[in-house]
Amino acid sequence: DIQMTQSPSSLSASVGDRVAITCRTSQGISNSLAWYQQKPGKAPKLLLYAASRLESGVPSRFSGSGSGTDYTLTITSLQPEDFATYYCQQYYSPPLTFGQGTKVEIK
Amino acid sequence: QVQLVESGGGVVQPGGSLRLSCAASGFTFSNYGIHWVRQAPGEGLEWVAFVHYSGTKYYADSVKGRFTISRDNSKNTLWLQMNSLRPEDTAVYYCAKDRQQLAPFYSDYWGQGTLVTVSS
């Protein structure tokens, strides 16, 4: 199974800040990585897929980068509605695996 | 619009069984693979199972041999039969539509989830 290491597990930031969340996989996954946002009591929402492709309707302040085993989700100019938990997920090979999550809190 | 509505959750004793349902609408159900993903209280997301458009199935090791995913394309419905339930199966269970038909990829639409509690 492909192991996912997501960091940090939580962070505090202010509105307007630039935030970066990283996801490291135990083997190369050829950009087969998705990012989700989840708010309390709600289902996850797809943000990006193929490591860097923005899902339709998602604001352009969200971006993804990386290759091989190291991937990054970046949020430029954090907005109040962005405070949530973020998960990475690999789909290179089953079983699909998720990162542990990063909770983005208001400073 | 795409809708996925889960049902069938509840409280069950360890060793018991439960069958979850997911009713889909707003898209051509038979053209897409569908996942079950769960989330234990206060914890992260865990992929459980996937069935592709014509029935090939994949399972997480933690549920293999105990859970069975199935679908009926004529009824736009997905099921998860859960047997030999354990306390660690306690979670909100989400059904989620895949972007593709065949191999499990990523999920572009999710239901609201149904809570399963395994406790004596």
Side-chain angles (χ1 to χ4, degrees), chain A residues 1 34 36 38 41-46 48-50 55 87 89-91 94-100, chain B residues 35 37 39 43-47 58-61 94 98-99 104-113:
Chain A
D1 298 3
Y36 300 90
Q38 187 180 32
K42 300 295 186 182
K45 173 188 173 183
L46 177 66
L48 297 110
Y49 58 96
E55 175 69 353
Y87 295 93
Q89 178 228 314
Q90 67 81 18
Y91 52 94
L96 305 188
T97 43
F98 288 90
Q100 301 91 329
Chain B
H35 302 262
V37 177
Q39 186 169 36
E43 301 295 324
L45 300 169
E46 180 187 15
W47 176 78
Y58 299 81
Y59 295 97
D61 288 345
Y94 296 100
D98 199 279
R99 180 61 57 84
F105 274 54
Y106 52 89
S107 298
D108 54 2
Y109 291 93
W110 297 63
Q112 84 289 349

Side-chain angles (χ1 to χ4, degrees), chain A residues 30-76:
Chain A
S30 299
N31 290 0
S32 299
L33 188 94
W35 290 97
Y36 300 90
Q37 175 193 68
Q38 187 180 32
K39 296 182 178 179
K42 300 295 186 182
K45 173 188 173 183
L46 177 66
L47 297 177
L48 297 110
Y49 58 96
S52 61
R53 300 190 70 172
L54 199 65
E55 175 69 353
S56 175
V58 174
S60 59
R61 62 181 180 272
F62 292 91
S63 65
S65 63
S67 63
T69 61
D70 293 295
Y71 299 88
T72 301
L73 170 69
T74 302
I75 312 172
T76 56

Side-chain angles (χ1 to χ4, degrees), chain B residues 6 8-11 18 20 39-41 90-93 112-117:
Chain B
E6 303 94 336
V11 180
L18 210 56
L20 306 184
Q39 186 169 36
T90 294
V92 173
Y93 284 74
Q112 84 289 349
T114 187
L115 176 62
V116 172
T117 302

Side-chain angles (χ1 to χ4, degrees), chain A residues 4-11 19-25 35 70-73 86-88 99-104:
Chain A
M4 312 288 285
T5 303
Q6 188 175 336
S7 61
S9 56
S10 66
L11 64 90
V19 163
I21 299 167
T22 63
C23 189
R24 176 165 288 174
T25 60
W35 290 97
D70 293 295
Y71 299 88
T72 301
L73 170 69
Y86 294 84
Y87 295 93
C88 57
Q100 301 91 329
T102 296
K103 187 173 184 179
V104 177

